[in-house]
């Protein structure tokens, strides 16, 4: 069974204070690792897809990296508008080696950035 | 930018009643999903749907649940006899395909409250 664990559960930063969020995973046949942002009462908003170890993706102040066991979301010089819950999800293969798109999510990291 | 839409945004129902949650996926997408998120918990996969058939479903998706694509644009989730524990945010998602890893885009959600 695929499992995703995110840490820390909550992170409070001052504006401009860079940090990293961690996503540890176990999955049979990783097909992709996804980062989403979720604002209160809203649906997950897509940020990045990572496919293989060593891959990196960047978008504005965010950079996602992937190893064989974990992924990091690095936040450089965050602003208050970056405050949200950041979700990590994996898509693996089933016992037959196929995938029908099921995403397994972690519990998220609640990021608060103070001005 | 194309987006997934969901109606209603909030549904209140009595225990034992039937509810239908509606979604309009992104127009050229072929794969459709339902997820739910109980307050304070992880986003959980319910079902994936392709070519008018269920591709995969979770243990949560029992006989009380059904999905349908009644026309070329809508995708629905029906809960036949709601229980208190069905209270959650329900998210619809869609993706363009599966052959490569296609990102799932989520709707804003329907908050279901069962009294």
């Amino acid at each position: 069974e695929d499992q995703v664990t995110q840490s820390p559960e909550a992170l409070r930063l001052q504006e401009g204070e860079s940090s990293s969020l961690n996503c540890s995973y176990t999955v049979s046949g990783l097909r992709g690792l996804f980062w989403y942002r979720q604002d209160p009462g809203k649906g997950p908003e897509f940020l990045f897809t990572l496919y293989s170890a060593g891959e990196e993706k960047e978008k504005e102040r965010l950079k996602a990296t992937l190893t064989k066991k974990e992924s990091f979301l690095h936040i450089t010089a965050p602003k208050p508008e970056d405050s949200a819950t950041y979700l990590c999800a994996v898509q693996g293969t089933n016992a037959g080696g196929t995938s029908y798109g099921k995403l397994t999510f972690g519990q998220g990291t609640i990021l608060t950035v103070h001005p | 930018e194309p987006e997934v839409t969901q109606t209603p945004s909030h549904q209140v129902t009595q225990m034992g009643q039937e509810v239908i949650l509606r979604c309009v996926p992104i127009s050229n997408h072929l794969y459709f999903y339902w997820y739910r998120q109980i307050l304070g918990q992880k986003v959980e996969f319910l079902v994936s749907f392709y070519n008018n058939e269920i591709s995969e479903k979770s243990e949560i998706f029992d006989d009380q649940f059904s999905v349908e694509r009644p026309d070329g644009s809508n995708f629905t989730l029906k809960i036949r006899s709601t229980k208190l524990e069905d209270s959650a945010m329900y998210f619809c998602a869609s993706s363009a395909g599966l052959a490569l890893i296609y990102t799932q885009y989520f709707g804003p959600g329907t908050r279901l409250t069962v009294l």
Side-chain angles (χ1 to χ4, degrees):
Chain A
E1 184 178 332
D2 301 343
Q3 290 191 337
V4 178
T5 302
Q6 293 186 244
S7 61
E9 290 186 8
L11 181 62
R12 300 167 69 93
L13 299 174
Q14 289 297 124
E15 184 172 3
E17 180 187 2
S18 302
S19 188
S20 296
L21 282 54
N22 177 263
C23 170
S24 298
Y25 65 90
T26 56
V27 63
S28 55
L30 179 71
R31 299 199 71 197
L33 184 141
F34 302 82
W35 282 97
Y36 287 87
R37 169 190 171 129
Q38 186 176 31
D39 292 304
K42 306 292 186 182
E45 175 188 344
F46 170 72
L47 294 173
F48 302 109
T49 307
L50 301 167
Y51 298 107
S52 57
E55 190 174 2
E56 298 182 353
K57 294 262 180 86
E58 284 190 68
K59 179 181 178 181
E60 297 181 352
R61 295 178 292 283
L62 300 177
K63 178 180 176 181
T65 62
L66 180 65
T67 73
K68 289 186 177 180
K69 294 183 178 180
E70 57 191 351
S71 176
F72 292 92
L73 184 65
H74 307 278
I75 303 176
T76 302
K79 299 181 177 181
E81 53 262 41
D82 295 322
S83 298
T85 297
Y86 289 85
L87 303 176
C88 174
V90 296
Q91 184 180 119
T93 55
N94 59 26
T98 57
S99 171
Y100 296 103
K102 172 187 173 183
L103 293 180
T104 300
F105 281 84
Q107 78 278 16
T109 293
I110 303 170
L111 175 65
T112 305
V113 182
H114 295 284
Chain B
E1 183 176 324
E3 58 182 18
V4 177
T5 59
Q6 292 186 241
T7 54
S9 58
H10 191 189
Q11 174 90 47
V12 181
T13 189
Q14 295 291 326
M15 189 170 55
Q17 294 297 304
E18 174 183 289
V19 295
I20 297 176
L21 311 182
R22 291 181 169 79
C23 167
V24 178
I26 295 172
S27 63
N28 63 342
H29 283 189
L30 302 176
Y31 291 82
F32 315 115
Y33 313 87
W34 284 101
Y35 292 81
R36 79 173 186 188
Q37 186 176 30
I38 295 171
L39 187 63
Q41 297 188 23
K42 296 182 181 184
V43 176
E44 301 174 287
F45 169 79
L46 293 178
V47 66
S48 60
F49 189 86
Y50 169 71
N51 198 25
N52 281 320
E53 291 185 346
I54 290 174
S55 304
E56 185 175 8
K57 60 183 181 180
S58 70
E59 292 178 353
I60 303 168
F61 195 88
D62 61 22
D63 292 343
Q64 294 298 313
F65 291 87
S66 63
V67 289
E68 188 179 30
R69 187 154 165 84
D71 52 44
S73 59
N74 290 283
F75 180 51
T76 63
L77 174 69
K78 180 192 291 185
I79 310 175
R80 289 188 182 81
S81 179
T82 51
K83 304 171 187 173
L84 295 176
E85 54 264 37
D86 293 327
S87 294
M89 281 287 284
Y90 287 81
F91 296 109
C92 174
S94 69
S95 67
L98 277 182
L100 299 175
I101 302 298
Y102 286 97
T103 297
Q104 292 180 31
Y105 294 91
F106 285 75
T110 293
R111 179 172 301 282
L112 176 65
T113 302
V114 182
L115 303 176

